[in-house]
Amino acid sequence: IESKPAKAMINLDGEEVGITPDTLWHIVPGKHEIIVEMDGYEVWSEIVDVEEDKQKTLTAVLQIKTGSIAIESKPSNAVVYIDGEEVGKTPDTLRSIVPGTHEVEVRKDGYEVWNKLVNIKAEKEKAITAVLQLKTGSININSDIPDAKIYIDGEEIATTPETITGLIPGKYTVEVKKDGYEDWSGI
C-alpha cells in the first residue's frame, strides 16, 4: 500500500497495521476494508478482495481537507477573485478552498477594489462582507481673482484656488463668486 502523500496511517479491518508505504503480509483471503488516513486529508478507503498467493498493489491518493468562504458585498453582484483568479459573484459560498492565507478581491464597476488577506482553515467556513466604496473624483478650480468663494450645488465649499476631492462621479453645478465681480457657473 502506497499513498500520496506518504507516511499515512494504514488500518486493516479497523486495526492500525502500519504507515505508508508498506506491504501487509499474511492476510487471510477474502474481503477486507483498507483505510488510509492522515491529518489534514480526507479519509481514503477501499474494500479489497484478497486472493490466496496473490499480491495487490494499492495507491491511496489523499485529498486535502478544504474550507470555504461565504462572501457578501454591499452592493451585491460584484466579481470575486481569489489569488487573482475570478471565482464568482457576490453573494456566494466558495467551496474547496485549500487551507492557508489567500488574497480575496471584490470588484464592481464604479467602486474601489476591495481586498483582504483571509486565512482559510480546513473544514471551516469563513464569512466576510466587502463594503465597497464608490470611486471618487476631484475638481481643480482656479481663478484670476484669489479668495473667490466656490459653491458646489449651492453649498459653499472653499475659496479659490482649490482642488475639491472626494466627489462621487456625476454632474455638479459649480459657481465661483466674489463681491464686486460677475459670478461664474458651470456644470
Side-chain angles (χ1 to χ4, degrees):
I1 301 174
E2 296 179 356
S3 70
K4 294 181 182 177
K7 300 191 186 298
M9 182 72 61
I10 304 168
N11 285 285
L12 172 67
D13 297 328
E15 182 181 330
E16 188 178 307
V17 293
I19 303 288
T20 62
D22 199 357
T23 301
L24 305 180
W25 300 95
H26 310 294
I27 306 292
V28 175
K31 294 189 185 287
H32 297 276
E33 182 180 35
I34 303 288
I35 296 176
V36 179
E37 53 191 333
M38 177 183 268
D39 284 344
Y41 291 84
E42 301 291 338
V43 173
W44 181 95
S45 69
E46 187 169 310
I47 301 295
V48 177
D49 192 4
V50 176
E51 297 177 44
E52 191 173 322
D53 295 328
K54 291 196 177 178
Q55 182 175 349
K56 292 201 178 232
T57 301
L58 299 176
T59 301
V61 179
L62 303 178
Q63 302 298 315
I64 195 163
K65 288 181 180 177
T66 60
S68 62
I69 301 173
I71 186 163
E72 295 182 18
S73 69
K74 294 179 183 178
S76 61
N77 203 30
V79 180
V80 180
Y81 296 82
I82 295 182
D83 299 328
E85 183 180 333
E86 184 177 332
V87 293
K89 287 192 172 188
T90 61
D92 199 359
T93 298
L94 308 169
R95 302 188 192 292
S96 300
I97 308 293
V98 174
T101 302
H102 298 275
E103 181 182 21
V104 177
E105 276 188 2
V106 180
R107 297 180 184 195
K108 186 172 178 84
D109 287 342
Y111 292 85
E112 298 291 338
V113 173
W114 181 95
N115 65 350
K116 183 176 185 176
L117 290 177
V118 177
N119 187 21
I120 301 301
K121 295 183 177 167
E123 300 181 308
K124 301 285 182 190
E125 181 173 282
K126 181 84 170 184
I128 55 177
T129 300
V131 179
L132 304 179
Q133 302 296 318
L134 280 169
K135 285 185 178 177
T136 60
S138 61
I139 302 172
N140 185 14
I141 301 173
N142 288 311
S143 122
D144 292 338
I145 299 136
D147 300 323
K149 293 180 181 178
I150 301 169
Y151 295 82
I152 298 197
D153 290 341
E155 181 181 341
E156 185 178 336
I157 300 294
T159 57
T160 60
E162 186 67 56
T163 300
I164 313 297
T165 60
L167 297 171
I168 295 170
K171 291 185 179 183
Y172 294 90
T173 300
V174 178
E175 299 172 284
V176 179
K177 300 179 182 183
K178 186 163 185 172
D179 288 342
Y181 293 91
E182 191 173 317
D183 296 348
W184 178 91
S185 68
I187 295 179

